[in-house]
Amino acid sequence: MRVLVAEDEADLAALLATGLRRAGFAVDTVHAGDDALERLALYEYDVLVLDRDLPRVHGDDVARRVVAAGSPTRILMLTASSAVEDRVQGLDLGADDYLGKPFDFPELVSRVRALRRRSARPALPPLLARDGLVMDTVRRTAARDGRDLDLSPKEFSVLQLLLEADGAAVSAEELLERAWDAHADPFTGAVRVCMSKLRGKLGEPALIRTVQGVGYVL
């Protein structure tokens, strides 16, 4: 995974790069908007961590140009302002996510990872099927062996993530990140409780298997 950090404060840019590299990302840094655009034209980046207040070419203009070019690069915009109006404006410019300064570094890493998954995820068909389960992601219906499943929105989301994984394990952390809102407590038992209810509605024989220390497999 390749990340470009565009941050005018050199010390902060270096800190961000070091932390992201420790998290397993390949990271380049620039300190001005025109340099960011030049790098983006030369290399393919999965995520752009973009300081909004950049010199020479403002971060807003960088975001506009990236979006206008149809780039697949996801944009995580950073700003010292936490006002709602600024967040809305940044997202309206085309940013995929928005994080105010100061921020907790684990949250930054988590958001970058989420954007990378969103960028890498291929287009999925509206109908998902596996082991007698059929899910219509457009009509938001699910059935097992012809029996309609009365799923809550959360249960539907969790089951969809498991179906999309196509037999691969999905961790509780990923389920929490992708199916719950940003205020969900990572130490809560929400995933475990939801999984228990989902298993009950799916019935026997059991379809969801727990892989100790890894996650859940359908």
Side-chain angles (χ1 to χ4, degrees):
M1 176 177 177
R2 193 161 194 175
V3 177
L4 177 63
V5 174
E7 166 61 56
D8 67 324
E9 296 181 26
D11 290 344
L12 178 56
L15 183 64
L16 290 172
T18 298
L20 288 169
R21 288 180 186 127
R22 287 175 178 169
F25 308 137
V27 185
D28 295 325
T29 60
V30 293
H31 307 300
D34 54 346
D35 292 335
L37 291 170
E38 182 179 343
R39 288 292 186 96
L40 289 164
L42 291 173
Y43 306 104
E44 292 185 5
Y45 290 96
D46 297 291
V47 177
L48 168 63
V49 179
L50 178 65
D51 178 29
R52 193 172 183 186
D53 191 20
L54 288 175
R56 298 205 291 270
V57 177
H58 196 273
D60 289 359
D61 292 323
V62 173
R64 287 192 189 96
R65 296 188 199 183
V66 170
V67 173
S71 171
T73 301
R74 299 293 182 174
I75 302 173
L76 172 58
M77 188 172 280
L78 302 178
T79 180
S81 175
S82 59
V84 173
E85 294 80 3
D86 290 306
R87 293 200 301 271
V88 170
Q89 188 177 19
L91 293 170
D92 284 345
L93 287 168
D96 298 280
D97 202 354
Y98 195 101
L99 193 58
K101 300 176 182 177
F103 51 82
D104 292 326
F105 198 81
E107 180 180 6
L108 172 70
V109 172
S110 179
R111 287 173 182 261
V112 170
R113 283 181 175 147
L115 289 178
R116 171 62 180 89
R117 284 193 295 272
R118 194 187 309 172
S119 176
R121 194 173 303 127
L124 292 164
L127 286 178
L128 300 172
R130 187 180 182 89
D131 298 328
L133 281 175
V134 178
M135 172 177 283
D136 188 325
T137 60
V138 175
R139 294 183 175 85
R140 303 287 291 179
T141 60
R144 180 181 185 184
D145 298 327
R147 175 176 59 87
D148 290 337
L149 301 173
D150 183 20
L151 303 180
S152 70
K154 194 70 66 184
E155 291 161 356
F156 189 96
S157 296
V158 169
L159 184 59
Q160 180 176 347
L161 290 169
L162 292 173
L163 281 166
E164 289 175 353
D166 195 25
V170 183
S171 69
E173 292 78 12
E174 184 173 357
L175 290 172
L176 190 66
E177 181 179 296
R178 294 174 59 189
W180 275 260
D181 63 34
H183 301 292
D185 184 351
F187 301 104
T188 184
V191 173
R192 177 177 49 80
V193 172
C194 180
M195 198 64 67
S196 176
K197 292 180 179 178
L198 181 57
R199 281 169 164 153
K201 291 184 179 182
L202 290 174
E204 297 295 335
L207 292 178
I208 300 174
R209 178 167 55 93
T210 301
V211 181
Q212 195 65 32
V214 178
Y216 301 94
V217 175
L218 183 63

